[in-house]
Amino acid sequence: MYRSRIIGLGHFVPDNVVTNDDLSTLMDTDDAWITERTGIKERRLIKKGSGEGTTSMGVKAAQMALERANVSKDDIELIIFATLSPDLYFPGSGVLLQDQMGMGTCPALDIRNQCSGFVYGLSVADQFIKTGMYKNVLLVGSEYHSGGMDFTTRGRTVSVIFGDGAGAAILTRETDATKGIQSTHLYSEGKYAEELAILGPSTQRWIPEIVADYDEDDMRYHPYMNGQLVFKNAVVRFSEVIKEALHKNNKTAEDIDLFIPHQANLRIAQFVQKKFGLADNQVYNNIMRYGNTTAASIPIAMSEAWAEGKIKKDDTILLAAFGSGFTWGSALIHW
Ligand code: UT7
């Protein structure tokens, strides 16, 4: 059986930098609260009317990943697109990206696993490559959160955390079993589906009903998050799924060259770092600059870490994520 290996990473974030102080002009919040609770100092948000969106950001990240991998778009046999903020209700962002990139007729698959979307996508890509069905896979995570967030005091618990951006990876077939993705571990717990969700626009409330009842105070039109419950579950599930990845590969925390957690909240990442006794140079965080970009957060962080020389040949890389669903997962990679 084959392995799959990441041979190129790319990312794109909008130019528009929005600091905590900028947000405090829109809502009752301040830099001290946001920094203390989340570690975030600024995020990138798409400027309304700029024409940028989930797919177009994904295209730019994918182009960078293809270039770095030295792979032509024509060699991609499967597109996997992870997002919770697609341009359209349907069809998915995978086919939109395919069209915008001028790709042929390869299959395009959308993944709806929110903050765990990239790890889920990695696992799906890995299965297709391992069985020999596809050789080269393009995996994209992209999010346009700011279009749907409530930037008033009412929405502050959510809107100070999330940011816009995209990341991408090119995966290819590897014949050396010691190289590439060694294992992936996926979980979900649907009983918490509504604890981090957007409940308004849906097939449960179709357009005539939404238009007839539209009420700007109806919070169902914006993402809802039970922050404390998410936090408590995240630290437990992150720990479990990291332990499982280490155990499965006969590794200890000391063997990890770089741990890249989903950038949910710096406090969650620091809790996990402490729990596993990881040194600062074993963990990569960039939430301070981008906020939580959901499915895009791990590939943006990986792309930056790689460009900074922090992901090198033979390194052991650990990824872990937790988010809406609830869903969570991990992946252990031998670079
Ligand atoms: O990728 C997975 C996605 N999500 C996460 O990982 C998030 C996990 N959860 C968290 O990170 C934290 O729960 C938050 C950072 C979202 C919130 O921190 P918290 O310590 O759980 O705060 P809280 O919601 O309990 O609110 C504490 C206080 C409240 O005021 P009162 O009731 O004590 O007077 C809130 O109204 O802070 C208030 N508050 C704010 N104040 C200033 C809530 N949001 C803000 C804000 N600025 N942005």
Side-chain angles (χ1 to χ4, degrees):
M1 194 163 68
Y2 301 115
R3 290 271 191 214
S4 49
R5 192 158 65 87
I6 296 176
I7 52 164
L9 290 156
H11 70 281
F12 173 83
V13 288
D15 291 336
N16 183 34
V17 178
V18 177
T19 64
N20 293 345
D21 287 339
D22 293 334
L23 289 182
S24 69
T25 65
L26 303 173
M27 62 186 84
D28 183 11
T29 191
D30 56 66
D31 177 53
W33 192 98
I34 302 171
T35 306
E36 189 197 321
R37 297 291 221 286
T38 70
I40 299 165
K41 298 301 282 182
E42 59 188 40
R43 70 287 292 142
R44 303 298 184 93
L45 303 184
I46 288 174
K47 273 213 163 110
K48 280 235 163 87
S50 66
E52 200 71 85
T54 297
T55 302
S56 66
M57 290 194 298
V59 167
K60 288 170 188 147
Q63 282 164 340
M64 184 191 279
L66 284 168
E67 230 166 79
R68 286 174 168 176
N70 203 16
V71 166
S72 156
K73 62 181 165 59
D74 301 327
D75 293 328
I76 296 298
E77 293 168 341
L78 171 67
I79 299 164
I80 303 178
F81 200 122
T83 185
L84 67 72
S85 49
D87 298 63
L88 304 176
Y89 207 159
F90 75 85
S93 299
V95 295
L96 302 184
L97 174 132
Q98 180 177 44
D99 180 49
Q100 287 184 24
M101 290 186 67
M103 295 170 80
T105 54
C106 72
L109 175 70
D110 277 45
I111 298 268
R112 296 198 48 184
N113 291 84
Q114 298 69 248
C115 299
S116 311
F118 188 80
V119 174
Y120 266 73
L122 202 66
S123 184
V124 171
D126 188 37
Q127 310 314 312
F128 276 118
I129 292 173
K130 279 200 298 207
T131 57
M133 185 156 175
Y134 299 121
K135 186 169 176 223
N136 296 315
V137 177
L138 165 62
L139 170 60
V140 177
S142 182
E143 304 289 2
Y144 177 13
H145 287 306
S146 59
M149 290 193 304
D150 175 9
F151 286 97
T152 70
T153 298
R154 195 179 49 181
R156 64 184 179 177
T157 316
V158 170
S159 54
V160 301
I161 291 183
F162 294 95
D164 302 334
I170 309 298
L171 291 101
T172 197
R173 181 185 296 167
E174 169 63 58
T175 48
D176 179 348
T178 67
K179 292 262 166 23
I181 298 174
Q182 300 297 301
S183 67
T184 57
H185 310 271
L186 307 178
Y187 293 94
S188 52
E189 194 172 23
K191 76 175 178 190
Y192 294 122
E194 296 195 4
E195 302 295 347
L196 177 45
I198 182 157
L199 302 171
S202 69
T203 51
Q204 307 299 307
R205 265 164 78 69
W206 200 233
I207 292 160
E209 196 191 334
I210 292 177
V211 172
D213 296 352
Y214 183 68
D215 166 8
E216 64 175 339
D217 290 330
D218 186 338
M219 287 307 289
R220 287 176 300 177
Y221 296 113
H222 303 291
Y224 164 77
M225 177 169 71
N226 180 345
Q228 295 200 358
L229 186 77
V230 173
F231 197 107
K232 281 183 200 147
N233 276 267
V235 292
V236 172
R237 298 309 193 181
F238 258 106
S239 303
E240 285 174 3
V241 87
I242 289 169
K243 259 188 213 151
E244 186 179 349
L246 292 174
H247 180 74
K248 168 89 184 168
N249 294 283
N250 295 317
K251 303 263 184 213
T252 68
E254 278 178 22
D255 299 318
I256 301 305
D257 293 295
L258 200 63
F259 168 49
I260 304 181
H262 159 53
Q263 302 292 291
N265 177 327
L266 191 61
R267 306 300 160 228
I268 295 176
Q270 287 169 335
F271 176 93
V272 173
Q273 176 177 349
K274 197 166 164 211
K275 177 157 182 155
F276 286 90
L278 296 166
D280 286 348
N281 64 3
Q282 285 178 285
V283 185
Y284 192 86
N285 288 305
N286 62 5
I287 191 170
M288 305 69 91
R289 290 179 283 123
Y290 300 131
N292 178 339
T293 56
T294 310
S297 92
I298 289 180
I300 294 175
M302 286 183 91
S303 174
E304 287 200 335
W306 178 85
E308 291 166 21
K310 291 178 178 162
I311 298 180
K312 305 174 297 299
K313 189 171 176 294
D314 287 330
D315 277 356
T316 299
I317 309 294
L318 175 66
L319 312 177
F322 177 89
S324 156
F326 290 155
T327 57
W328 61 101
S330 63
L332 194 126
I333 305 170
H334 185 208
W335 209 263

